[in-house]
Amino acid sequence: MQRTLVSSGSPFEAQIGYSRAVAQGDWVFVSGTTGFDYATMTISEHVEEQAAQCLRNIERALREVGAGLHDVVRVLYILPDPADFEACHPVLRSHFDAVRPAATMISARLLDPRMRIEIEVTALRRPAGAAGR
């Protein structure tokens, strides 16, 4: 079974020793992803903008291995301040409303105080044209 490692080019991956995503068989595991724009290494101060950037980063990693947000079966949201989660709902719903993955939200301190949300997903790639796409 082939194992494919995906990098976003983020310096965090090299510093810590991990991949943005790992695809093995039909499964894709995307590491906890924050709202940094990795091209500029900037991050918005607004949690909903960070959530949208997290999903753009995740979507880019999934695309590299032939998957997309429509393949997500599990999502974990991590926020330092649980009160911020409601502001993210419209962004999350716009990406996952039709997919309805299993989800968990936890509150925990993140590595950088500018980070207001981190999202981790697991996806199951489906053949092109499969039901539910």
Side-chain angles (χ1 to χ4, degrees):
M1 194 177 306
Q2 183 177 351
R3 179 182 171 108
T4 304
L5 305 179
V6 176
S7 175
S8 67
S10 161
F12 302 128
E13 294 163 26
Q15 290 170 359
I16 300 169
Y18 72 97
S19 295
R20 172 64 42 218
V22 175
Q24 182 125 7
D26 292 332
W27 290 99
V28 184
F29 304 91
V30 181
S31 295
T33 303
T34 63
F36 273 96
D37 177 335
Y38 297 123
T40 61
M41 285 311 294
T42 58
I43 191 167
S44 170
E45 64 184 50
H46 303 286
V47 69
E48 58 277 7
E49 291 174 18
Q50 287 191 28
Q53 184 64 50
C54 288
L55 293 171
R56 284 191 293 274
N57 294 339
I58 290 168
E59 191 167 31
R60 192 173 302 116
L62 289 170
R63 239 188 348 259
E64 283 195 41
V65 293
L69 291 175
H70 57 270
D71 293 308
V72 171
V73 296
R74 183 86 174 97
V75 61
L76 172 63
Y77 303 107
I78 306 164
L79 292 92
D81 183 351
D84 281 345
F85 194 48
E86 189 171 348
C88 299
H89 290 177
V91 172
L92 304 175
R93 189 171 42 251
S94 73
H95 288 83
F96 291 128
D97 193 43
V99 179
R100 299 292 176 105
T104 301
M105 190 286 285
I106 63 171
S107 179
R109 188 173 57 188
L110 298 176
L111 185 62
D112 182 323
R114 296 174 294 171
M115 298 172 181
R116 297 182 62 190
I117 185 169
E118 183 169 332
I119 302 174
E120 173 186 306
V121 305
T122 302
L124 179 59
R125 295 184 281 195
R126 294 175 281 171
R133 276 209 149 176

